[in-house]
Amino acid sequence: MRRILALSASLLTAVPAMANTNQDKVHELEHFFEHATVISGPSLVGCTLSGGTETTCFSITVKSEPQSYTPGPWCPTSITDAAVKGGIWLKEGQVHDVDGGFVSNLSTFYDDDTWQLYDKDTGSVRVTDTQASCEAAARPDVDPEFNNYCVQCLPEYMPDDATMTYVIPLEPQDTKRSNPVRFSGSGLAINGVRLDGPAPVDAILAAHTIAPFDDCGGHVNTHVGYHYHAVTDCLEGADGGLDALKIGIAMDGYDIFSHLRKDGTAPDDLDDCNGHATDGGGYHYHAGSAGSNAILNCLRAEAGCASEDPDRICDASVRPSRP
């Protein structure tokens, strides 16, 4: 009987200790996201992860509006425009300015004479300049009407009350296989902007369209709003106690650090998901290079949920239709 009473007492003291630990983590998250446009949270919720594990997550609802800069521009309007009038595009690991010269040289750039994004007589670039045209051109099966267009969607196309809610495990639940980032995205940046999976470049190029990112590596779709496909110098990280800056949290709960260390070098021991374990730092990721079109290649642990519906109960084991 004494042993049973002692065990019960130890369990009663363990529960508050765990609660205190979790609340400490929530306070850390509040500090980490203090420069994001947070609508609610972070708060503790129950969740079911992509592998079916039921655990505790934190939930945070944000507007995808970086506070330190204004997103854009994306598409130049003339083949005489300088780089300041357009964004960037990625090819074979390199970042290219989408200026007027880039647009006029696409047939050479891709060795395909079908490319013709501009009017030969006026030099005007064909740009999706309405919400309807952006949605028709930005989908995976590009509307043929918008072949040979520079595709951009503007932040003002989003409803004023549009938000995204991220439900991410407090403690990563490792798996024995790499997990795709397609549906959940890679994670959430320190400024509240979604760190997405790779852009569907093959589908974009198949329609002879270009969907540039701005100089900060982001562009807009009308489901998740402004989001990143590349991490550039625009994203200021926080000191995460390691030799690189912490720029976000992956959808599986592991931290994401900058591509380069503070000394300007890149880690040379990353696994296929861009992660590694270090003394004192445990396992964590480093964002891919800006030209890689892969902030993370995959996730090492079970992912949580990203949803336009702040009231959705997170069950990531059920494949979502959006985003």
Side-chain angles (χ1 to χ4, degrees):
M1 178 63 73
R2 290 179 181 175
R3 292 180 61 187
I4 294 175
L5 290 174
L7 178 60
S8 299
S10 66
L11 290 173
L12 288 172
T13 56
V15 171
M18 181 177 295
N20 288 338
T21 299
N22 286 349
Q23 286 302 324
D24 288 343
K25 291 181 180 179
V26 169
H27 293 320
E28 292 175 5
L29 291 165
E30 289 173 344
H31 179 66
F32 183 70
F33 291 114
E34 63 183 344
H35 296 300
T37 304
V38 177
I39 304 304
S40 64
S43 57
L44 299 177
V45 297
C47 56
T48 303
L49 304 181
S50 57
T53 299
E54 296 181 3
T55 187
T56 299
C57 288
F58 74 88
S59 174
I60 186 168
T61 299
V62 295
K63 288 181 72 69
S64 193
E65 298 176 348
Q67 297 181 9
S68 61
Y69 68 92
T70 300
W74 290 278
C75 293
T77 58
S78 169
I79 60 171
T80 62
D81 283 345
V84 71
K85 296 292 186 69
I88 59 174
W89 188 240
L90 317 177
K91 182 187 178 188
E92 297 175 353
Q94 300 298 312
V95 177
H96 302 269
D97 285 323
V98 180
D99 55 13
F102 176 87
V103 171
S104 65
N105 191 51
L106 278 168
S107 59
T108 301
F109 190 70
Y110 282 113
D111 192 23
D112 180 353
D113 291 338
T114 308
W115 286 95
Q116 187 64 48
L117 266 65
Y118 66 96
D119 186 300
K120 290 182 178 179
D121 295 327
T122 66
S124 296
V125 179
R126 285 188 283 274
V127 179
T128 55
D129 54 5
T130 66
Q131 181 173 343
S133 63
C134 105
E135 291 178 340
R139 68 193 194 194
D141 55 332
V142 178
D143 187 323
E145 179 182 351
F146 296 102
N147 283 14
N148 263 308
Y149 264 74
C150 188
V151 180
Q152 66 178 17
C153 297
L154 302 179
E156 50 261 41
Y157 297 161
M158 298 297 294
D160 290 340
D161 60 352
T163 62
M164 284 293 295
T165 298
Y166 298 86
V167 180
I168 298 174
L170 280 182
E171 296 292 340
Q173 305 294 317
D174 285 337
T175 63
K176 294 182 179 179
R177 59 183 176 83
S178 301
N179 304 293
V181 299
R182 179 181 174 190
F183 297 107
S184 67
S186 295
L188 182 62
I190 188 172
N191 62 356
V193 175
R194 176 185 174 101
L195 297 165
D196 217 332
V201 172
D202 289 346
I204 295 168
L205 297 179
H208 295 92
T209 60
I210 292 291
F213 315 117
D214 62 14
D215 287 348
C216 295
H219 64 185
V220 177
N221 71 41
T222 53
H223 298 302
V224 302
Y226 182 69
H227 58 281
Y228 294 125
H229 287 288
V231 173
T232 71
D233 293 341
C234 296
L235 190 55
E236 299 177 359
D239 189 347
L242 299 182
D243 58 0
L245 295 178
K246 181 178 172 181
I247 62 162
I249 300 175
M251 291 304 300
D252 62 4
Y254 282 120
D255 291 337
I256 305 175
F257 285 80
S258 53
H259 175 63
L260 299 178
R261 301 186 183 100
K262 296 174 185 176
D263 64 5
T265 62
D268 58 5
D269 60 344
L270 300 182
D271 60 26
D272 57 350
C273 291
N274 290 9
H276 65 171
T278 60
D279 292 340
Y283 187 85
H284 58 274
Y285 300 109
H286 286 264
S289 65
S292 66
N293 189 31
I295 296 172
L296 298 183
N297 291 317
C298 50
L299 298 173
R300 276 300 180 200
E302 297 181 46
C305 300
S307 175
E308 299 164 70
D309 180 3
D311 298 320
R312 175 187 165 198
I313 303 300
C314 176
D315 184 352
S317 66
V318 177
R319 175 175 167 173
S321 58
R322 294 186 189 276

